[in-house]
Amino acid sequence: MRADRLVSLVLLLRQRGRLTADTLARELEVSTRTVLRDIEALSAAGVPVYAERGRHGGFALLPGFRTELTGLNHDEALALLTAGSGRGEQVFGLGSALASAMRKVVDALPESHRATASDAAQRFLVDPETDLLSRRLVTDQVPGTTMIEVRRAVLAGHKLRIHYAASGQTAQWRTVDPIGLVTVRERSYLLATRSGADRTYRLSRVLAAEELPETAQRPSRVDLDRIWRERSARFLSGGDHLTVRVRVAPARREDLLDNALAVRAEEPDADGWLRLEVTFQDAEHAEWALWQLSTDAEVLAPQSLRTSLRDRAAAITARYTHSS
Protein backbone atom coordinates (compact mmCIF):
# COMPACT_ATOMS: atom_id res chain seq x y z
CA MET A 1 0.00 0.00 0.00
CA ARG A 2 2.82 2.45 0.82
CA ALA A 3 4.48 1.86 -2.55
CA ASP A 4 1.24 2.79 -4.33
CA ARG A 5 0.93 5.90 -2.18
CA LEU A 6 4.48 6.98 -2.99
CA VAL A 7 3.77 6.62 -6.72
CA SER A 8 0.58 8.65 -6.31
CA LEU A 9 2.48 11.35 -4.44
CA VAL A 10 5.04 11.65 -7.23
CA LEU A 11 2.30 11.78 -9.87
CA LEU A 12 0.46 14.53 -8.00
CA LEU A 13 3.62 16.64 -7.89
CA ARG A 14 4.35 15.95 -11.57
CA GLN A 15 0.88 16.88 -12.77
CA ARG A 16 0.02 19.78 -10.45
CA GLY A 17 3.36 21.25 -9.54
CA ARG A 18 4.08 22.61 -6.09
CA LEU A 19 1.65 21.38 -3.40
CA THR A 20 1.53 21.87 0.35
CA ALA A 21 1.71 18.96 2.79
CA ASP A 22 -1.91 19.59 3.80
CA THR A 23 -3.08 19.40 0.17
CA LEU A 24 -1.15 16.17 -0.41
CA ALA A 25 -2.60 14.70 2.79
CA ARG A 26 -6.16 15.44 1.61
CA GLU A 27 -5.54 13.99 -1.84
CA LEU A 28 -3.93 10.81 -0.50
CA GLU A 29 -6.32 10.48 2.46
CA VAL A 30 -3.53 10.27 5.03
CA SER A 31 -2.15 12.51 7.78
CA THR A 32 0.27 15.37 7.20
CA ARG A 33 2.82 13.49 9.29
CA THR A 34 2.56 10.53 6.89
CA VAL A 35 3.12 12.84 3.91
CA LEU A 36 6.29 14.24 5.48
CA ARG A 37 7.61 10.73 6.11
CA ASP A 38 6.83 9.79 2.50
CA ILE A 39 8.66 12.88 1.23
CA GLU A 40 11.73 11.82 3.23
CA ALA A 41 11.50 8.29 1.81
CA LEU A 42 11.33 9.61 -1.76
CA SER A 43 14.33 11.85 -1.21
CA ALA A 44 16.30 8.95 0.25
CA ALA A 45 15.39 6.88 -2.82
CA GLY A 46 16.79 9.54 -5.15
CA VAL A 47 13.55 11.16 -6.29
CA PRO A 48 14.36 14.89 -6.72
CA VAL A 49 11.65 16.33 -4.46
CA TYR A 50 12.42 19.56 -2.61
CA ALA A 51 10.67 21.93 -0.21
CA GLU A 52 9.99 25.61 -0.79
CA ARG A 53 9.52 27.67 2.34
CA GLY A 54 7.29 30.66 2.86
CA ARG A 55 3.63 31.57 2.58
CA HIS A 56 3.25 30.06 -0.89
CA GLY A 57 5.67 27.21 -0.33
CA GLY A 58 5.21 23.49 -0.54
CA PHE A 59 6.83 20.48 -2.15
CA ALA A 60 7.82 20.13 -5.80
CA LEU A 61 9.90 18.00 -8.16
CA LEU A 62 12.90 19.22 -10.09
CA PRO A 63 11.86 20.12 -13.68
CA GLY A 64 12.16 17.29 -16.20
CA PHE A 65 11.76 14.41 -13.75
CA ARG A 66 9.57 11.64 -15.20
CA THR A 67 8.45 8.28 -13.86
CA GLU A 68 8.49 5.25 -16.13
CA LEU A 69 4.93 4.05 -16.71
CA THR A 70 3.38 2.09 -19.55
CA GLY A 71 1.97 4.44 -22.18
CA LEU A 72 -1.61 4.53 -23.44
CA ASN A 73 -2.91 5.91 -26.69
CA HIS A 74 -5.27 8.89 -26.71
CA ASP A 75 -8.56 6.97 -27.04
CA GLU A 76 -7.61 4.39 -24.37
CA ALA A 77 -6.82 7.12 -21.88
CA LEU A 78 -9.96 9.07 -22.83
CA ALA A 79 -12.11 5.98 -22.19
CA LEU A 80 -10.62 5.50 -18.72
CA LEU A 81 -10.80 9.17 -17.81
CA THR A 82 -14.43 9.34 -18.90
CA ALA A 83 -15.34 6.23 -16.90
CA GLY A 84 -13.69 7.78 -13.87
CA SER A 85 -15.44 11.11 -14.29
CA GLY A 86 -18.85 9.83 -13.18
CA ARG A 87 -19.90 8.74 -9.73
CA GLY A 88 -18.30 5.33 -10.10
CA GLU A 89 -15.87 6.30 -7.36
CA GLN A 90 -18.57 5.32 -4.87
CA VAL A 91 -18.87 1.77 -6.18
CA PHE A 92 -17.60 -0.88 -3.75
CA GLY A 93 -15.56 1.66 -1.77
CA LEU A 94 -12.87 2.08 -4.43
CA GLY A 95 -12.80 5.89 -4.46
CA SER A 96 -9.17 6.44 -3.45
CA ALA A 97 -8.00 3.62 -5.74
CA LEU A 98 -9.82 5.18 -8.69
CA ALA A 99 -8.33 8.60 -7.98
CA SER A 100 -4.85 7.04 -7.91
CA ALA A 101 -5.52 5.14 -11.15
CA MET A 102 -6.68 8.31 -12.90
CA ARG A 103 -3.45 10.08 -11.96
CA LYS A 104 -1.46 7.17 -13.43
CA VAL A 105 -3.53 7.23 -16.62
CA VAL A 106 -2.81 10.90 -17.17
CA ASP A 107 0.88 10.46 -16.45
CA ALA A 108 1.15 7.47 -18.79
CA LEU A 109 0.10 9.55 -21.80
CA PRO A 110 2.68 10.96 -24.18
CA GLU A 111 3.33 14.62 -23.41
CA SER A 112 1.63 15.70 -26.65
CA HIS A 113 -1.62 13.89 -25.76
CA ARG A 114 -1.87 14.63 -22.04
CA ALA A 115 -3.58 18.01 -22.17
CA THR A 116 -5.94 17.12 -25.04
CA ALA A 117 -7.15 13.90 -23.38
CA SER A 118 -7.78 15.63 -20.05
CA ASP A 119 -9.66 18.42 -21.81
CA ALA A 120 -11.71 15.95 -23.87
CA ALA A 121 -12.74 14.02 -20.75
CA GLN A 122 -14.16 17.26 -19.34
CA ARG A 123 -16.60 17.34 -22.27
CA PHE A 124 -18.32 14.12 -21.09
CA LEU A 125 -20.51 13.86 -17.99
CA VAL A 126 -21.49 10.40 -16.77
CA ASP A 127 -24.46 9.93 -14.40
CA PRO A 128 -24.78 13.37 -12.75
CA GLU A 129 -26.45 13.55 -9.34
CA THR A 130 -29.68 15.03 -10.75
CA ASP A 131 -31.60 14.73 -14.01
CA LEU A 132 -33.12 17.52 -16.12
CA LEU A 133 -36.07 17.78 -13.72
CA SER A 134 -33.66 18.28 -10.78
CA ARG A 135 -34.60 14.92 -9.30
CA ARG A 136 -31.71 13.80 -7.16
CA LEU A 137 -30.50 10.23 -7.58
CA VAL A 138 -30.56 8.30 -4.33
CA THR A 139 -27.39 6.26 -3.81
CA ASP A 140 -27.07 3.57 -1.16
CA GLN A 141 -24.56 4.53 1.52
CA VAL A 142 -22.27 1.77 2.79
CA PRO A 143 -19.73 2.48 5.57
CA GLY A 144 -16.18 2.28 4.25
CA THR A 145 -14.99 -0.22 6.85
CA THR A 146 -17.91 -2.54 6.08
CA MET A 147 -17.31 -2.30 2.33
CA ILE A 148 -13.62 -3.10 2.75
CA GLU A 149 -14.35 -6.27 4.74
CA VAL A 150 -16.97 -7.43 2.22
CA ARG A 151 -14.71 -6.73 -0.74
CA ARG A 152 -11.75 -8.52 0.85
CA ALA A 153 -13.80 -11.63 1.56
CA VAL A 154 -15.18 -11.71 -1.99
CA LEU A 155 -11.75 -11.38 -3.58
CA ALA A 156 -9.93 -13.70 -1.15
CA GLY A 157 -12.60 -16.40 -1.31
CA HIS A 158 -13.14 -16.39 2.46
CA LYS A 159 -16.31 -16.80 4.47
CA LEU A 160 -17.95 -13.57 5.59
CA ARG A 161 -19.83 -12.75 8.79
CA ILE A 162 -22.36 -9.94 8.35
CA HIS A 163 -24.74 -8.12 10.69
CA TYR A 164 -27.69 -7.79 8.33
CA ALA A 165 -30.98 -5.94 8.81
CA ALA A 166 -33.51 -7.37 6.35
CA SER A 167 -36.47 -5.14 5.53
CA GLY A 168 -38.85 -5.01 8.51
CA GLN A 169 -36.72 -7.38 10.60
CA THR A 170 -34.30 -7.11 13.51
CA ALA A 171 -30.65 -7.21 12.46
CA GLN A 172 -28.99 -10.61 12.86
CA TRP A 173 -25.49 -12.00 12.41
CA ARG A 174 -25.10 -14.55 9.60
CA THR A 175 -22.15 -16.33 8.09
CA VAL A 176 -22.21 -16.57 4.29
CA ASP A 177 -20.08 -17.75 1.38
CA PRO A 178 -19.60 -14.66 -0.84
CA ILE A 179 -19.78 -15.12 -4.62
CA GLY A 180 -19.55 -11.59 -6.01
CA LEU A 181 -20.66 -7.96 -5.89
CA VAL A 182 -23.19 -6.29 -8.21
CA THR A 183 -24.14 -2.63 -8.51
CA VAL A 184 -27.28 -1.57 -10.40
CA ARG A 185 -29.18 1.73 -10.43
CA GLU A 186 -27.12 3.18 -7.55
CA ARG A 187 -27.65 0.10 -5.34
CA SER A 188 -25.05 -2.51 -4.51
CA TYR A 189 -25.65 -6.15 -3.65
CA LEU A 190 -23.66 -9.07 -2.29
CA LEU A 191 -24.41 -12.36 -4.03
CA ALA A 192 -23.71 -15.24 -1.69
CA THR A 193 -24.86 -18.62 -0.46
CA ARG A 194 -25.82 -19.53 3.08
CA SER A 195 -25.84 -23.17 4.08
CA GLY A 196 -25.85 -23.93 0.34
CA ALA A 197 -28.92 -21.78 -0.44
CA ASP A 198 -28.75 -18.74 -2.74
CA ARG A 199 -28.88 -15.39 -0.93
CA THR A 200 -28.78 -11.78 -2.16
CA TYR A 201 -27.96 -9.06 0.38
CA ARG A 202 -28.39 -5.32 -0.17
CA LEU A 203 -25.13 -3.76 1.02
CA SER A 204 -26.78 -0.69 2.56
CA ARG A 205 -28.46 -3.08 5.03
CA VAL A 206 -25.18 -4.64 6.12
CA LEU A 207 -24.49 -2.89 9.44
CA ALA A 208 -21.13 -4.56 10.04
CA ALA A 209 -18.98 -7.20 8.38
CA GLU A 210 -16.03 -9.41 9.28
CA GLU A 211 -13.88 -11.43 6.90
CA LEU A 212 -13.27 -14.90 8.34
CA PRO A 213 -10.15 -17.05 7.77
CA GLU A 214 -12.13 -20.07 6.56
CA THR A 215 -12.30 -20.74 2.82
CA ALA A 216 -15.70 -20.03 1.26
CA GLN A 217 -17.61 -22.88 -0.35
CA ARG A 218 -18.03 -21.59 -3.89
CA PRO A 219 -17.04 -22.53 -7.47
CA SER A 220 -13.63 -21.42 -8.69
CA ARG A 221 -15.17 -19.70 -11.73
CA VAL A 222 -18.34 -17.65 -11.79
CA ASP A 223 -20.65 -15.98 -14.34
CA LEU A 224 -22.10 -13.09 -12.33
CA ASP A 225 -24.23 -11.85 -15.22
CA ARG A 226 -25.99 -15.21 -15.50
CA ILE A 227 -26.43 -15.55 -11.72
CA TRP A 228 -27.88 -12.04 -11.47
CA ARG A 229 -30.39 -12.72 -14.29
CA GLU A 230 -31.49 -15.96 -12.63
CA ARG A 231 -31.93 -14.37 -9.21
CA SER A 232 -33.76 -11.39 -10.70
CA ALA A 233 -36.18 -13.75 -12.46
CA ARG A 234 -36.84 -15.66 -9.23
CA PHE A 235 -37.38 -12.40 -7.36
CA LEU A 236 -39.91 -11.12 -9.88
CA SER A 237 -41.84 -14.38 -9.96
CA GLY A 238 -42.15 -14.69 -6.19
CA GLY A 239 -43.99 -12.90 -3.41
CA ASP A 240 -47.04 -10.68 -3.83
CA HIS A 241 -45.82 -8.65 -6.81
CA LEU A 242 -48.48 -7.03 -8.96
CA THR A 243 -48.36 -7.00 -12.77
CA VAL A 244 -50.02 -3.98 -14.36
CA ARG A 245 -50.92 -3.21 -17.98
CA VAL A 246 -50.72 0.53 -18.59
CA ARG A 247 -50.76 3.15 -21.34
CA VAL A 248 -48.29 5.99 -20.84
CA ALA A 249 -47.23 9.13 -22.70
CA PRO A 250 -43.74 8.62 -24.16
CA ALA A 251 -42.39 11.62 -22.25
CA ARG A 252 -43.28 9.93 -18.93
CA ARG A 253 -41.96 6.46 -19.77
CA GLU A 254 -38.79 6.88 -17.71
CA ASP A 255 -40.78 8.20 -14.76
CA LEU A 256 -42.85 5.02 -14.83
CA LEU A 257 -39.81 2.77 -15.10
CA ASP A 258 -38.04 4.56 -12.26
CA ASN A 259 -40.72 3.28 -9.89
CA ALA A 260 -41.50 -0.13 -11.41
CA LEU A 261 -39.65 -3.29 -10.43
CA ALA A 262 -39.46 -4.62 -14.00
CA VAL A 263 -40.83 -4.28 -17.53
CA ARG A 264 -42.29 -7.49 -18.97
CA ALA A 265 -43.53 -6.16 -22.32
CA GLU A 266 -43.69 -2.94 -24.30
CA GLU A 267 -45.23 -1.87 -27.61
CA PRO A 268 -46.43 1.35 -29.28
CA ASP A 269 -50.12 2.22 -29.14
CA ALA A 270 -52.13 3.54 -32.09
CA ASP A 271 -52.27 7.11 -30.73
CA GLY A 272 -48.52 7.43 -30.19
CA TRP A 273 -48.60 6.42 -26.54
CA LEU A 274 -46.88 3.26 -25.25
CA ARG A 275 -48.45 0.10 -23.87
CA LEU A 276 -46.39 -1.57 -21.16
CA GLU A 277 -46.71 -4.50 -18.83
CA VAL A 278 -44.83 -3.68 -15.65
CA THR A 279 -44.40 -5.22 -12.22
CA PHE A 280 -44.75 -3.43 -8.87
CA GLN A 281 -43.99 -4.56 -5.33
CA ASP A 282 -47.71 -4.70 -4.47
CA ALA A 283 -51.01 -2.90 -5.10
CA GLU A 284 -50.14 -0.01 -2.77
CA HIS A 285 -46.83 0.54 -4.55
CA ALA A 286 -48.55 0.45 -7.97
CA GLU A 287 -51.25 2.95 -6.93
CA TRP A 288 -48.65 5.38 -5.54
CA ALA A 289 -46.39 5.16 -8.62
CA LEU A 290 -49.17 5.59 -11.17
CA TRP A 291 -50.79 8.44 -9.25
CA GLN A 292 -47.54 10.39 -9.76
CA LEU A 293 -48.11 10.27 -13.54
CA SER A 294 -51.51 12.03 -13.32
CA THR A 295 -53.25 12.09 -16.74
CA ASP A 296 -50.11 10.96 -18.57
CA ALA A 297 -50.91 7.32 -17.79
CA GLU A 298 -53.94 5.06 -17.92
CA VAL A 299 -54.15 1.70 -16.14
CA LEU A 300 -55.74 -0.97 -18.36
CA ALA A 301 -55.57 -3.83 -15.86
CA PRO A 302 -56.15 -5.01 -13.23
CA GLN A 303 -59.61 -3.54 -12.65
CA SER A 304 -59.00 -3.26 -8.90
CA LEU A 305 -56.19 -0.77 -9.53
CA ARG A 306 -58.33 1.24 -11.96
CA THR A 307 -61.02 1.40 -9.28
CA SER A 308 -58.68 2.53 -6.52
CA LEU A 309 -57.20 5.29 -8.71
CA ARG A 310 -60.70 6.43 -9.75
CA ASP A 311 -61.86 6.56 -6.11
CA ARG A 312 -58.75 8.50 -5.14
CA ALA A 313 -59.36 11.04 -7.92
CA ALA A 314 -63.01 11.35 -6.91
CA ALA A 315 -62.02 12.06 -3.31
CA ILE A 316 -59.64 14.82 -4.44
CA THR A 317 -62.32 16.30 -6.70
CA ALA A 318 -64.85 16.30 -3.86
CA ARG A 319 -62.39 17.98 -1.52
CA TYR A 320 -61.80 20.88 -3.92
CA THR A 321 -65.43 21.12 -5.09
CA HIS A 322 -66.72 22.19 -1.65
CA SER A 323 -66.56 25.91 -1.13
CA SER A 324 -64.36 27.10 1.71
Side-chain angles (χ1 to χ4, degrees):
M1 291 294 293
R2 191 188 187 195
D4 287 342
R5 189 175 69 242
L6 292 175
V7 172
S8 292
L9 194 157
V10 172
L11 295 180
L12 280 170
L13 294 177
R14 267 188 47 76
Q15 294 162 17
R16 292 166 56 178
R18 185 174 58 245
L19 295 172
T20 65
D22 288 341
T23 299
L24 288 168
R26 286 196 302 273
E27 290 286 344
L28 299 173
E29 299 181 353
V30 297
S31 67
T32 303
R33 184 187 297 265
T34 297
V35 168
L36 295 177
R37 286 200 301 265
D38 288 348
I39 293 291
E40 290 181 3
L42 288 172
S43 296
V47 177
V49 58
Y50 66 96
E52 291 187 0
R53 308 296 179 184
R55 181 179 177 185
H56 301 292
F59 295 99
L61 293 169
L62 287 177
F65 176 77
R66 177 165 179 80
T67 52
E68 292 299 326
L69 293 174
T70 301
L72 298 173
N73 66 38
H74 180 272
D75 286 347
E76 290 170 340
L78 178 58
L80 290 174
L81 289 171
T82 301
S85 69
R87 294 186 300 110
E89 70 272 10
Q90 304 301 325
V91 176
F92 307 140
L94 294 172
S96 59
L98 180 61
S100 174
M102 291 303 102
R103 287 191 289 270
K104 293 177 182 178
V105 167
V106 172
D107 196 82
L109 282 173
E111 188 74 34
S112 59
H113 290 168
R114 192 174 302 143
T116 55
S118 297
D119 179 71
Q122 295 175 20
R123 309 293 175 178
F124 302 152
L125 178 60
V126 181
D127 287 337
E129 292 188 359
T130 61
D131 63 13
L132 283 175
L133 299 179
S134 296
R135 294 171 300 189
R136 190 176 184 86
L137 297 177
V138 179
T139 304
D140 277 353
Q141 299 298 317
V142 183
T145 53
T146 298
M147 190 67 253
I148 289 173
E149 288 293 307
V150 172
R151 192 174 70 236
R152 283 177 177 170
V154 169
L155 296 179
H158 290 168
K159 287 184 178 293
L160 180 68
R161 189 166 177 258
I162 58 174
H163 195 212
Y164 189 73
S167 180
Q169 299 181 24
T170 303
Q172 295 182 347
W173 284 98
R174 343 167 163 213
T175 298
V176 302
D177 295 300
I179 295 174
L181 294 168
V182 174
T183 182
V184 56
R185 299 186 70 176
E186 312 305 322
R187 295 178 180 176
S188 297
Y189 300 88
L190 168 67
L191 305 187
T193 59
R194 185 180 176 207
S195 300
D198 291 344
R199 293 289 185 269
T200 302
Y201 299 101
R202 188 166 166 180
L203 287 180
S204 61
R205 294 175 180 163
V206 177
L207 307 182
E210 177 187 2
E211 179 191 3
L212 302 178
E214 294 88 355
T215 300
Q217 300 300 310
R218 65 181 192 179
S220 58
R221 299 182 65 84
V222 64
D223 183 348
L224 277 186
D225 187 54
R226 176 184 57 79
I227 293 174
W228 180 253
R229 289 198 307 270
E230 291 174 351
R231 294 194 181 187
S232 297
R234 287 201 299 269
F235 173 77
L236 292 173
S237 63
D240 298 322
H241 298 158
L242 180 70
T243 298
V244 176
R245 288 193 295 112
V246 59
R247 296 174 67 251
V248 64
R252 302 302 300 276
R253 177 184 180 276
E254 294 304 317
D255 296 329
L256 172 64
L257 300 191
D258 281 346
N259 291 314
L261 290 178
V263 179
R264 295 183 174 274
E266 179 176 354
E267 62 181 7
D269 207 354
D271 59 359
W273 278 32
L274 301 171
R275 282 180 178 255
L276 293 95
E277 186 174 301
V278 294
T279 302
F280 292 98
Q281 187 71 44
D282 50 33
E284 183 178 357
H285 177 209
E287 180 179 338
W288 172 85
L290 289 159
W291 181 259
Q292 312 307 309
L293 301 180
S294 185
T295 57
D296 289 328
E298 178 190 1
V299 172
L300 303 176
Q303 182 60 44
S304 58
L305 181 58
R306 286 178 60 90
T307 300
S308 62
L309 286 168
R310 182 197 63 200
D311 292 346
R312 189 171 185 173
I316 292 291
T317 300
R319 174 62 59 86
Y320 288 98
T321 297
H322 298 312
S323 58
S324 57

